[in-house]
mmCIF file of all heavy atoms in Angstrom:
data_model
loop_
_atom_site.group_PDB
_atom_site.id
_atom_site.type_symbol
_atom_site.label_atom_id
_atom_site.label_comp_id
_atom_site.label_asym_id
_atom_site.label_seq_id
_atom_site.Cartn_x
_atom_site.Cartn_y
_atom_site.Cartn_z
ATOM 1 N N THR A 1 87.372 30.245 19.888
ATOM 2 C CA THR A 1 88.581 30.678 19.242
ATOM 3 C C THR A 1 89.226 31.863 19.948
ATOM 4 O O THR A 1 90.296 32.188 19.651
ATOM 5 C CB THR A 1 88.318 31.022 17.698
ATOM 6 O OG1 THR A 1 87.334 32.098 17.721
ATOM 7 C CG2 THR A 1 87.816 29.848 16.954
ATOM 8 N N PHE A 2 88.431 32.557 20.878
ATOM 9 C CA PHE A 2 88.984 33.576 21.640
ATOM 10 C C PHE A 2 88.245 33.611 22.935
ATOM 11 O O PHE A 2 87.090 33.036 23.080
ATOM 12 C CB PHE A 2 88.811 34.993 20.915
ATOM 13 C CG PHE A 2 87.391 35.286 20.593
ATOM 14 C CD1 PHE A 2 86.578 35.982 21.513
ATOM 15 C CD2 PHE A 2 86.782 34.963 19.372
ATOM 16 C CE1 PHE A 2 85.211 36.291 21.177
ATOM 17 C CE2 PHE A 2 85.493 35.255 19.095
ATOM 18 C CZ PHE A 2 84.718 35.949 20.008
ATOM 19 N N SER A 3 88.864 34.324 23.941
ATOM 20 C CA SER A 3 88.186 34.310 25.286
ATOM 21 C C SER A 3 87.030 35.318 25.107
ATOM 22 O O SER A 3 87.163 36.499 24.825
ATOM 23 C CB SER A 3 89.176 34.839 26.305
ATOM 24 O OG SER A 3 88.520 35.007 27.564
ATOM 25 N N PRO A 4 85.767 34.895 25.507
ATOM 26 C CA PRO A 4 84.617 35.787 25.358
ATOM 27 C C PRO A 4 84.678 36.974 26.379
ATOM 28 O O PRO A 4 84.080 37.971 26.218
ATOM 29 C CB PRO A 4 83.466 34.863 25.739
ATOM 30 C CG PRO A 4 84.050 33.727 26.465
ATOM 31 C CD PRO A 4 85.442 33.580 25.935
ATOM 32 N N THR A 5 85.497 36.843 27.414
ATOM 33 C CA THR A 5 85.597 37.955 28.384
ATOM 34 C C THR A 5 86.455 39.075 27.886
ATOM 35 O O THR A 5 86.614 40.090 28.558
ATOM 36 C CB THR A 5 86.136 37.393 29.799
ATOM 37 O OG1 THR A 5 87.405 36.750 29.516
ATOM 38 C CG2 THR A 5 85.237 36.479 30.393
ATOM 39 N N HIS A 6 87.120 38.864 26.745
ATOM 40 C CA HIS A 6 87.851 39.960 26.235
ATOM 41 C C HIS A 6 87.044 40.950 25.428
ATOM 42 O O HIS A 6 87.452 42.062 24.980
ATOM 43 C CB HIS A 6 88.899 39.408 25.205
ATOM 44 C CG HIS A 6 90.046 38.682 25.948
ATOM 45 N ND1 HIS A 6 90.835 37.861 25.211
ATOM 46 C CD2 HIS A 6 90.404 38.566 27.226
ATOM 47 C CE1 HIS A 6 91.670 37.222 26.092
ATOM 48 N NE2 HIS A 6 91.395 37.702 27.304
ATOM 49 N N ILE A 7 85.740 40.668 25.251
ATOM 50 C CA ILE A 7 84.846 41.476 24.384
ATOM 51 C C ILE A 7 83.564 41.738 25.189
ATOM 52 O O ILE A 7 82.908 40.844 25.655
ATOM 53 C CB ILE A 7 84.490 40.852 22.951
ATOM 54 C CG1 ILE A 7 85.827 40.639 22.245
ATOM 55 C CG2 ILE A 7 83.641 41.766 22.282
ATOM 56 C CD1 ILE A 7 85.783 39.820 20.994
ATOM 57 N N LYS A 8 83.180 43.031 25.225
ATOM 58 C CA LYS A 8 81.947 43.416 25.855
ATOM 59 C C LYS A 8 80.917 43.693 24.762
ATOM 60 O O LYS A 8 81.245 44.351 23.750
ATOM 61 C CB LYS A 8 82.154 44.676 26.719
ATOM 62 C CG LYS A 8 80.897 45.181 27.392
ATOM 63 C CD LYS A 8 81.182 46.321 28.424
ATOM 64 C CE LYS A 8 81.742 45.746 29.709
ATOM 65 N NZ LYS A 8 81.821 46.795 30.760
ATOM 66 N N VAL A 9 79.658 43.198 24.934
ATOM 67 C CA VAL A 9 78.619 43.432 24.008
ATOM 68 C C VAL A 9 77.551 44.332 24.594
ATOM 69 O O VAL A 9 77.114 44.060 25.738
ATOM 70 C CB VAL A 9 78.018 42.063 23.572
ATOM 71 C CG1 VAL A 9 77.030 42.278 22.569
ATOM 72 C CG2 VAL A 9 79.098 41.146 23.135
ATOM 73 N N VAL A 10 77.197 45.302 23.833
ATOM 74 C CA VAL A 10 76.073 46.190 24.223
ATOM 75 C C VAL A 10 75.083 46.188 23.087
ATOM 76 O O VAL A 10 75.454 46.547 21.985
ATOM 77 C CB VAL A 10 76.526 47.608 24.503
ATOM 78 C CG1 VAL A 10 75.368 48.519 24.826
ATOM 79 C CG2 VAL A 10 77.479 47.617 25.705
ATOM 80 N N THR A 11 73.810 45.908 23.370
ATOM 81 C CA THR A 11 72.843 45.862 22.191
ATOM 82 C C THR A 11 71.826 46.944 22.468
ATOM 83 O O THR A 11 71.247 47.114 23.563
ATOM 84 C CB THR A 11 72.109 44.516 22.076
ATOM 85 O OG1 THR A 11 73.125 43.452 22.007
ATOM 86 C CG2 THR A 11 71.203 44.493 20.845
ATOM 87 N N GLU A 12 71.495 47.751 21.400
ATOM 88 C CA GLU A 12 70.583 48.792 21.515
ATOM 89 C C GLU A 12 69.740 48.858 20.236
ATOM 90 O O GLU A 12 70.255 49.005 19.203
ATOM 91 C CB GLU A 12 71.233 50.220 21.716
ATOM 92 C CG GLU A 12 70.282 51.312 21.992
ATOM 93 C CD GLU A 12 69.667 51.273 23.400
ATOM 94 O OE1 GLU A 12 70.390 51.063 24.361
ATOM 95 O OE2 GLU A 12 68.433 51.489 23.498
ATOM 96 N N ALA A 13 68.390 48.566 20.363
ATOM 97 C CA ALA A 13 67.499 48.591 19.217
ATOM 98 C C ALA A 13 68.022 47.621 18.141
ATOM 99 O O ALA A 13 67.923 47.877 16.892
ATOM 100 C CB ALA A 13 67.277 49.982 18.710
ATOM 101 N N GLY A 14 68.502 46.499 18.560
ATOM 102 C CA GLY A 14 68.949 45.540 17.604
ATOM 103 C C GLY A 14 70.364 45.692 17.043
ATOM 104 O O GLY A 14 70.888 44.927 16.280
ATOM 105 N N VAL A 15 71.045 46.785 17.463
ATOM 106 C CA VAL A 15 72.390 47.087 16.967
ATOM 107 C C VAL A 15 73.364 46.608 18.057
ATOM 108 O O VAL A 15 73.236 47.003 19.225
ATOM 109 C CB VAL A 15 72.529 48.596 16.761
ATOM 110 C CG1 VAL A 15 74.040 48.918 16.291
ATOM 111 C CG2 VAL A 15 71.681 49.136 15.721
ATOM 112 N N ALA A 16 74.268 45.730 17.666
ATOM 113 C CA ALA A 16 75.249 45.199 18.641
ATOM 114 C C ALA A 16 76.555 45.986 18.571
ATOM 115 O O ALA A 16 77.183 46.034 17.508
ATOM 116 C CB ALA A 16 75.489 43.714 18.293
ATOM 117 N N TYR A 17 76.958 46.515 19.695
ATOM 118 C CA TYR A 17 78.179 47.265 19.791
ATOM 119 C C TYR A 17 79.169 46.387 20.446
ATOM 120 O O TYR A 17 78.961 45.777 21.501
ATOM 121 C CB TYR A 17 78.017 48.592 20.609
ATOM 122 C CG TYR A 17 77.029 49.574 19.944
ATOM 123 C CD1 TYR A 17 75.630 49.448 20.262
ATOM 124 C CD2 TYR A 17 77.371 50.552 19.066
ATOM 125 C CE1 TYR A 17 74.681 50.302 19.686
ATOM 126 C CE2 TYR A 17 76.442 51.434 18.511
ATOM 127 C CZ TYR A 17 75.140 51.309 18.907
ATOM 128 O OH TYR A 17 74.211 52.144 18.278
ATOM 129 N N LEU A 18 80.371 46.286 19.878
ATOM 130 C CA LEU A 18 81.461 45.430 20.493
ATOM 131 C C LEU A 18 82.579 46.292 20.966
ATOM 132 O O LEU A 18 83.098 47.144 20.245
ATOM 133 C CB LEU A 18 81.970 44.477 19.466
ATOM 134 C CG LEU A 18 80.883 43.594 18.694
ATOM 135 C CD1 LEU A 18 81.563 42.600 17.695
ATOM 136 C CD2 LEU A 18 80.101 42.842 19.723
ATOM 137 N N MET A 19 82.930 46.067 22.252
ATOM 138 C CA MET A 19 84.036 46.802 22.898
ATOM 139 C C MET A 19 85.093 45.746 23.398
ATOM 140 O O MET A 19 84.802 44.611 23.737
ATOM 141 C CB MET A 19 83.589 47.646 24.089
ATOM 142 C CG MET A 19 82.477 48.596 23.744
ATOM 143 S SD MET A 19 81.925 49.546 25.177
ATOM 144 C CE MET A 19 83.219 50.907 25.174
ATOM 145 N N GLY A 20 86.334 46.140 23.452
ATOM 146 C CA GLY A 20 87.385 45.242 23.930
ATOM 147 C C GLY A 20 88.715 45.581 23.454
ATOM 148 O O GLY A 20 88.916 46.614 22.689
ATOM 149 N N ILE A 21 89.699 44.849 23.912
ATOM 150 C CA ILE A 21 91.079 45.000 23.516
ATOM 151 C C ILE A 21 91.459 43.652 22.819
ATOM 152 O O ILE A 21 91.595 42.671 23.432
ATOM 153 C CB ILE A 21 92.125 45.333 24.635
ATOM 154 C CG1 ILE A 21 91.604 46.575 25.394
ATOM 155 C CG2 ILE A 21 93.510 45.410 24.104
ATOM 156 C CD1 ILE A 21 92.438 46.792 26.720
ATOM 157 N N VAL A 22 91.518 43.749 21.424
ATOM 158 C CA VAL A 22 91.664 42.490 20.729
ATOM 159 C C VAL A 22 92.628 42.658 19.608
ATOM 160 O O VAL A 22 93.021 43.773 19.157
ATOM 161 C CB VAL A 22 90.330 42.020 20.171
ATOM 162 C CG1 VAL A 22 89.341 41.738 21.282
ATOM 163 C CG2 VAL A 22 89.713 43.099 19.282
ATOM 164 N N ASN A 23 93.044 41.545 19.005
ATOM 165 C CA ASN A 23 93.786 41.566 17.729
ATOM 166 C C ASN A 23 92.941 41.466 16.538
ATOM 167 O O ASN A 23 91.642 41.189 16.669
ATOM 168 C CB ASN A 23 94.969 40.562 17.700
ATOM 169 C CG ASN A 23 94.445 39.177 17.929
ATOM 170 O OD1 ASN A 23 93.507 38.694 17.179
ATOM 171 N ND2 ASN A 23 95.016 38.424 18.799
ATOM 172 N N GLU A 24 93.466 41.525 15.372
ATOM 173 C CA GLU A 24 92.663 41.611 14.152
ATOM 174 C C GLU A 24 91.849 40.286 14.022
ATOM 175 O O GLU A 24 90.620 40.262 13.607
ATOM 176 C CB GLU A 24 93.502 41.765 12.903
ATOM 177 C CG GLU A 24 94.032 43.150 12.755
ATOM 178 C CD GLU A 24 93.071 44.197 12.174
ATOM 179 O OE1 GLU A 24 91.928 43.738 11.960
ATOM 180 O OE2 GLU A 24 93.384 45.308 12.078
ATOM 181 N N GLN A 25 92.447 39.116 14.244
ATOM 182 C CA GLN A 25 91.787 37.826 14.130
ATOM 183 C C GLN A 25 90.671 37.742 15.083
ATOM 184 O O GLN A 25 89.538 37.240 14.667
ATOM 185 C CB GLN A 25 92.798 36.747 14.324
ATOM 186 C CG GLN A 25 92.218 35.321 14.115
ATOM 187 C CD GLN A 25 93.215 34.187 14.273
ATOM 188 O OE1 GLN A 25 94.429 34.480 14.538
ATOM 189 N NE2 GLN A 25 92.827 32.990 14.263
ATOM 190 N N GLU A 26 90.848 38.175 16.298
ATOM 191 C CA GLU A 26 89.700 38.080 17.331
ATOM 192 C C GLU A 26 88.578 39.039 16.932
ATOM 193 O O GLU A 26 87.428 38.685 17.037
ATOM 194 C CB GLU A 26 90.350 38.438 18.671
ATOM 195 C CG GLU A 26 91.286 37.403 19.235
ATOM 196 C CD GLU A 26 92.028 37.882 20.465
ATOM 197 O OE1 GLU A 26 92.210 39.129 20.559
ATOM 198 O OE2 GLU A 26 92.456 37.046 21.224
ATOM 199 N N SER A 27 88.933 40.240 16.444
ATOM 200 C CA SER A 27 87.968 41.167 16.058
ATOM 201 C C SER A 27 87.153 40.586 14.872
ATOM 202 O O SER A 27 85.836 40.667 14.921
ATOM 203 C CB SER A 27 88.636 42.468 15.577
ATOM 204 O OG SER A 27 87.728 43.390 14.992
ATOM 205 N N ALA A 28 87.760 40.069 13.876
ATOM 206 C CA ALA A 28 87.002 39.507 12.707
ATOM 207 C C ALA A 28 86.032 38.428 13.178
ATOM 208 O O ALA A 28 84.888 38.368 12.680
ATOM 209 C CB ALA A 28 87.995 39.022 11.737
ATOM 210 N N ALA A 29 86.561 37.532 14.093
ATOM 211 C CA ALA A 29 85.748 36.407 14.474
ATOM 212 C C ALA A 29 84.441 36.854 15.304
ATOM 213 O O ALA A 29 83.429 36.440 15.091
ATOM 214 C CB ALA A 29 86.564 35.422 15.330
ATOM 215 N N ALA A 30 84.743 37.827 16.157
ATOM 216 C CA ALA A 30 83.666 38.394 16.991
ATOM 217 C C ALA A 30 82.598 39.131 16.129
ATOM 218 O O ALA A 30 81.415 38.970 16.378
ATOM 219 C CB ALA A 30 84.197 39.431 18.078
ATOM 220 N N ILE A 31 83.049 39.883 15.194
ATOM 221 C CA ILE A 31 82.078 40.559 14.315
ATOM 222 C C ILE A 31 81.216 39.610 13.533
ATOM 223 O O ILE A 31 80.074 39.744 13.410
ATOM 224 C CB ILE A 31 82.847 41.536 13.317
ATOM 225 C CG1 ILE A 31 83.469 42.770 14.159
ATOM 226 C CG2 ILE A 31 81.926 42.056 12.258
ATOM 227 C CD1 ILE A 31 84.405 43.556 13.371
ATOM 228 N N GLN A 32 81.884 38.558 12.968
ATOM 229 C CA GLN A 32 81.178 37.527 12.226
ATOM 230 C C GLN A 32 80.155 36.820 13.092
ATOM 231 O O GLN A 32 79.029 36.621 12.615
ATOM 232 C CB GLN A 32 82.233 36.527 11.611
ATOM 233 C CG GLN A 32 81.569 35.370 10.831
ATOM 234 C CD GLN A 32 80.782 35.792 9.641
ATOM 235 O OE1 GLN A 32 80.931 36.908 9.171
ATOM 236 N NE2 GLN A 32 79.961 34.857 9.174
ATOM 237 N N ILE A 33 80.529 36.506 14.337
ATOM 238 C CA ILE A 33 79.556 35.864 15.184
ATOM 239 C C ILE A 33 78.385 36.679 15.479
ATOM 240 O O ILE A 33 77.266 36.329 15.500
ATOM 241 C CB ILE A 33 80.292 35.370 16.467
ATOM 242 C CG1 ILE A 33 81.275 34.290 16.192
ATOM 243 C CG2 ILE A 33 79.307 34.920 17.578
ATOM 244 C CD1 ILE A 33 82.199 34.016 17.339
ATOM 245 N N ALA A 34 78.656 37.953 15.821
ATOM 246 C CA ALA A 34 77.626 38.924 16.177
ATOM 247 C C ALA A 34 76.709 39.207 15.050
ATOM 248 O O ALA A 34 75.439 39.155 15.256
ATOM 249 C CB ALA A 34 78.196 40.245 16.713
ATOM 250 N N ARG A 35 77.224 39.367 13.894
ATOM 251 C CA ARG A 35 76.439 39.732 12.765
ATOM 252 C C ARG A 35 75.501 38.608 12.235
ATOM 253 O O ARG A 35 74.511 38.796 11.588
ATOM 254 C CB ARG A 35 77.250 40.240 11.585
ATOM 255 C CG ARG A 35 78.111 39.280 10.944
ATOM 256 C CD ARG A 35 78.970 39.893 9.836
ATOM 257 N NE ARG A 35 78.210 40.260 8.657
ATOM 258 C CZ ARG A 35 77.939 39.462 7.669
ATOM 259 N NH1 ARG A 35 78.413 38.277 7.659
ATOM 260 N NH2 ARG A 35 77.206 39.867 6.715
ATOM 261 N N THR A 36 75.861 37.438 12.587
ATOM 262 C CA THR A 36 75.064 36.277 12.196
ATOM 263 C C THR A 36 74.180 35.699 13.354
ATOM 264 O O THR A 36 73.593 34.627 13.306
ATOM 265 C CB THR A 36 75.965 35.138 11.678
ATOM 266 O OG1 THR A 36 76.907 34.800 12.715
ATOM 267 C CG2 THR A 36 76.690 35.543 10.427
ATOM 268 N N THR A 37 74.034 36.469 14.482
ATOM 269 C CA THR A 37 73.239 36.103 15.530
ATOM 270 C C THR A 37 71.804 36.584 15.288
ATOM 271 O O THR A 37 71.599 37.782 14.908
ATOM 272 C CB THR A 37 73.747 36.702 16.853
ATOM 273 O OG1 THR A 37 75.086 36.146 17.169
ATOM 274 C CG2 THR A 37 72.829 36.265 18.016
ATOM 275 N N GLN A 38 70.847 35.743 15.427
ATOM 276 C CA GLN A 38 69.519 36.122 15.236
ATOM 277 C C GLN A 38 69.010 37.288 16.048
ATOM 278 O O GLN A 38 69.239 37.347 17.236
ATOM 279 C CB GLN A 38 68.488 34.973 15.564
ATOM 280 C CG GLN A 38 67.086 35.153 15.154
ATOM 281 C CD GLN A 38 66.197 33.999 15.333
ATOM 282 O OE1 GLN A 38 66.619 32.949 15.920
ATOM 283 N NE2 GLN A 38 65.005 34.052 14.915
ATOM 284 N N GLY A 39 68.409 38.333 15.372
ATOM 285 C CA GLY A 39 67.967 39.476 16.111
ATOM 286 C C GLY A 39 68.888 40.697 15.918
ATOM 287 O O GLY A 39 68.486 41.811 16.150
ATOM 288 N N VAL A 40 70.142 40.433 15.522
ATOM 289 C CA VAL A 40 71.160 41.518 15.362
ATOM 290 C C VAL A 40 70.886 42.159 14.033
ATOM 291 O O VAL A 40 70.966 41.520 12.951
ATOM 292 C CB VAL A 40 72.563 41.033 15.488
ATOM 293 C CG1 VAL A 40 73.527 42.157 15.117
ATOM 294 C CG2 VAL A 40 72.896 40.574 16.891
ATOM 295 N N ARG A 41 70.536 43.423 14.041
ATOM 296 C CA ARG A 41 70.357 44.163 12.668
ATOM 297 C C ARG A 41 71.615 44.635 12.092
ATOM 298 O O ARG A 41 71.818 44.552 10.915
ATOM 299 C CB ARG A 41 69.463 45.370 13.001
ATOM 300 C CG ARG A 41 68.069 45.090 13.313
ATOM 301 C CD ARG A 41 67.132 46.223 13.316
ATOM 302 N NE ARG A 41 67.599 47.382 14.114
ATOM 303 C CZ ARG A 41 68.139 48.500 13.685
ATOM 304 N NH1 ARG A 41 68.342 48.671 12.387
ATOM 305 N NH2 ARG A 41 68.478 49.500 14.526
ATOM 306 N N THR A 42 72.624 45.021 12.950
ATOM 307 C CA THR A 42 73.857 45.498 12.479
ATOM 308 C C THR A 42 74.907 45.492 13.534
ATOM 309 O O THR A 42 74.487 45.395 14.709
ATOM 310 C CB THR A 42 73.886 46.872 11.773
ATOM 311 O OG1 THR A 42 75.071 47.225 11.152
ATOM 312 C CG2 THR A 42 73.549 47.901 12.859
ATOM 313 N N VAL A 43 76.190 45.509 13.174
ATOM 314 C CA VAL A 43 77.210 45.456 14.258
ATOM 315 C C VAL A 43 78.057 46.716 14.140
ATOM 316 O O VAL A 43 78.437 47.095 13.079
ATOM 317 C CB VAL A 43 78.133 44.237 14.105
ATOM 318 C CG1 VAL A 43 79.285 44.206 15.134
ATOM 319 C CG2 VAL A 43 77.362 42.910 14.200
ATOM 320 N N VAL A 44 78.329 47.368 15.270
ATOM 321 C CA VAL A 44 79.168 48.530 15.330
ATOM 322 C C VAL A 44 80.468 48.139 16.080
ATOM 323 O O VAL A 44 80.401 47.778 17.226
ATOM 324 C CB VAL A 44 78.495 49.723 15.988
ATOM 325 C CG1 VAL A 44 79.518 50.885 16.065
ATOM 326 C CG2 VAL A 44 77.307 50.136 15.129
ATOM 327 N N ASN A 45 81.599 48.231 15.440
ATOM 328 C CA ASN A 45 82.854 47.916 16.047
ATOM 329 C C ASN A 45 83.502 49.046 16.694
ATOM 330 O O ASN A 45 84.032 49.974 16.043
ATOM 331 C CB ASN A 45 83.731 47.176 14.977
ATOM 332 C CG ASN A 45 85.129 46.851 15.452
ATOM 333 O OD1 ASN A 45 85.335 46.820 16.717
ATOM 334 N ND2 ASN A 45 86.031 46.655 14.605
ATOM 335 N N VAL A 46 83.656 49.013 18.006
ATOM 336 C CA VAL A 46 84.350 50.060 18.741
ATOM 337 C C VAL A 46 85.430 49.400 19.552
ATOM 338 O O VAL A 46 85.817 49.865 20.666
ATOM 339 C CB VAL A 46 83.426 50.946 19.565
ATOM 340 C CG1 VAL A 46 82.540 51.870 18.731
ATOM 341 C CG2 VAL A 46 82.517 50.156 20.528
ATOM 342 N N MET A 47 85.894 48.235 19.117
ATOM 343 C CA MET A 47 87.007 47.573 19.761
ATOM 344 C C MET A 47 88.313 48.220 19.476
ATOM 345 O O MET A 47 88.520 48.849 18.483
ATOM 346 C CB MET A 47 87.031 46.088 19.385
ATOM 347 C CG MET A 47 85.858 45.224 19.750
ATOM 348 S SD MET A 47 85.946 43.492 19.219
ATOM 349 C CE MET A 47 85.484 43.698 17.475
ATOM 350 N N GLU A 48 89.240 48.132 20.496
ATOM 351 C CA GLU A 48 90.602 48.666 20.316
ATOM 352 C C GLU A 48 91.342 47.494 19.713
ATOM 353 O O GLU A 48 91.557 46.489 20.334
ATOM 354 C CB GLU A 48 91.234 49.067 21.679
ATOM 355 C CG GLU A 48 90.389 50.194 22.345
ATOM 356 C CD GLU A 48 91.089 50.568 23.639
ATOM 357 O OE1 GLU A 48 92.351 50.686 23.731
ATOM 358 O OE2 GLU A 48 90.327 50.779 24.668
#
């Protein structure tokens, strides 16, 4: 639903940090995908 190259993922101790330049729809989709990925404890959104 969005280009994966628009979002950078950094994981530290099971916390997934999301960076990128996105709109609200893309941000919501990316957060939902990340938070439901096995092993991710929480998601921190630092996207623009």
Side-chain angles (χ1 to χ4, degrees):
T1 60
F2 59 88
S3 173
T5 55
H6 292 163
I7 301 173
K8 178 172 285 190
V9 183
V10 177
T11 308
E12 188 72 47
V15 179
Y17 300 87
L18 306 182
M19 308 180 78
I21 302 171
V22 297
N23 57 50
E24 289 282 0
Q25 183 177 358
E26 292 169 333
S27 172
I31 291 170
Q32 176 63 15
I33 292 168
R35 66 183 291 272
T36 56
T37 299
Q38 186 177 9
V40 173
R41 295 193 299 109
T42 188
V43 176
V44 176
N45 176 16
V46 289
M47 294 180 281
E48 297 180 45

